[in-house]
Amino acid sequence: MKGKLFIVGTGPGAPPIRTFRMVEAIKQSDVIVAYTTYAKLIGDLVDGKEVITARMKEELYRAKVAIQKVQEGKVVSLISSGDPQVYGMASPALEMMCKNNLDLDFEIVPGVTAALAAAAKLGSPLAMDFASISLSDLLVPAEEILHRVKKAAEGDFVIVLYNPINKPLLERAMAIISEYRKPETPVGIVKSAYREDEQVIITNLSDWKRHEGIINMITTMIVGNSRTYTCNGKMITPRGYDRRYNFELNNDS
């Protein structure tokens, strides 16, 4: 029997925001390989399946086990939160297959990444060009990360910060952004998007540190560009319609 690997994005974790294909792939699988927390988030889908869990920082172990199970002829779902392409399991799994000269049957199943989930809770901060940057320096040197932050700030991109768990690195990144943005620039902080303990905060560059205590590995931050503003408690980044068109409603009967 020929095995198959699904590299699955579960989105934020809440069932209402799962994709149909994600649920279908897991149901078709014999084996589920996941970080322990992610396995719990899909617990309602895995009855009767072999579930292999691992701790954080064991991404290569998860990829290796998943590939070995596929070689045994099993259908396997290798789980990522959000989207597997965005700081997820797609890259290590494909790299491992490439470096071992393996041509396995696989499918990458996209999911709602944290940037989009957080943005939806904040309003419309990603309506124009944006950059996403991971602040995890476990695999990438801090100075390289900060170089990317600087370039994104210089380019006036809306900036999405993933994995803001290293507080000194986060503070350095926000200090760099503050060199290029006004103090009143909106900053969105979303923790546990679409989960029971969700927290959504809109603050600004001059005041964001007041909320630093809630920021952890399941927090996503979005820093607006020079045109981002807040209205009715939501962040809005204009697409540019206001430069060419009139937004006034026609009240004529």
Side-chain angles (χ1 to χ4, degrees), residues 44-61:
D44 58 310
L45 301 175
V46 301
D47 284 350
K49 302 181 185 299
E50 181 182 1
V51 179
I52 301 170
T53 60
R55 296 170 296 179
M56 187 59 71
K57 302 181 185 178
E58 293 183 337
E59 290 84 2
L60 292 186
Y61 168 76

Side-chain angles (χ1 to χ4, degrees), residues 71-235:
Q71 289 177 306
E72 294 172 8
K74 302 292 180 64
V75 178
V76 181
S77 278
L78 177 59
I79 304 298
S80 283
S81 66
D83 184 280
Q85 294 279 8
V86 185
Y87 314 119
M89 290 302 301
S91 176
L94 295 189
E95 279 194 282
M96 189 168 287
M97 285 190 278
C98 177
K99 294 182 184 300
N100 288 278
N101 197 29
L102 295 174
D103 185 16
L104 302 179
D105 184 14
F106 74 91
E107 177 184 337
I108 296 173
V109 180
V112 178
T113 186
L116 301 182
K121 293 293 182 177
L122 294 168
S124 185
L126 304 184
M128 271 299 289
D129 304 326
F130 66 92
S132 63
I133 300 173
S134 172
L135 292 184
S136 172
D137 58 347
L138 294 175
L139 301 174
V140 180
E143 293 307 317
E144 187 174 326
I145 293 170
L146 294 173
H147 175 72
R148 293 173 182 169
V149 171
K150 179 180 179 182
K151 293 302 180 183
E154 285 178 346
D156 199 29
F157 289 94
V158 174
I159 301 174
V160 182
L161 298 175
Y162 281 71
N163 304 314
I165 52 177
N166 182 329
K167 295 299 175 65
L169 182 56
L170 171 60
E171 291 174 4
R172 291 176 68 189
M174 294 297 279
I176 289 171
I177 296 170
S178 296
E179 294 175 11
Y180 299 89
R181 309 276 161 93
K182 295 177 181 178
E184 62 268 26
T185 300
V187 175
I189 302 171
V190 182
K191 179 181 178 182
S192 301
Y194 291 91
R195 301 182 190 178
E196 289 184 1
D197 56 342
E198 174 186 277
Q199 290 181 265
V200 179
I201 295 168
I202 295 179
T203 179
N204 57 49
L205 268 178
S206 67
D207 202 36
W208 75 272
K209 280 192 72 175
R210 190 161 62 89
H211 307 284
E212 195 171 15
I214 77 160
I215 298 171
N216 61 13
M217 66 174 290
I218 52 175
T219 302
T220 305
M221 298 178 64
I222 299 181
V223 183
N225 67 11
S226 62
R227 302 196 73 220
T228 305
Y229 63 97
T230 58
C231 182
N232 298 325
K234 297 294 183 181
M235 291 174 67

Side-chain angles (χ1 to χ4, degrees), residues 249-253:
L249 295 174
N250 185 349
N251 293 320
D252 295 338
S253 56

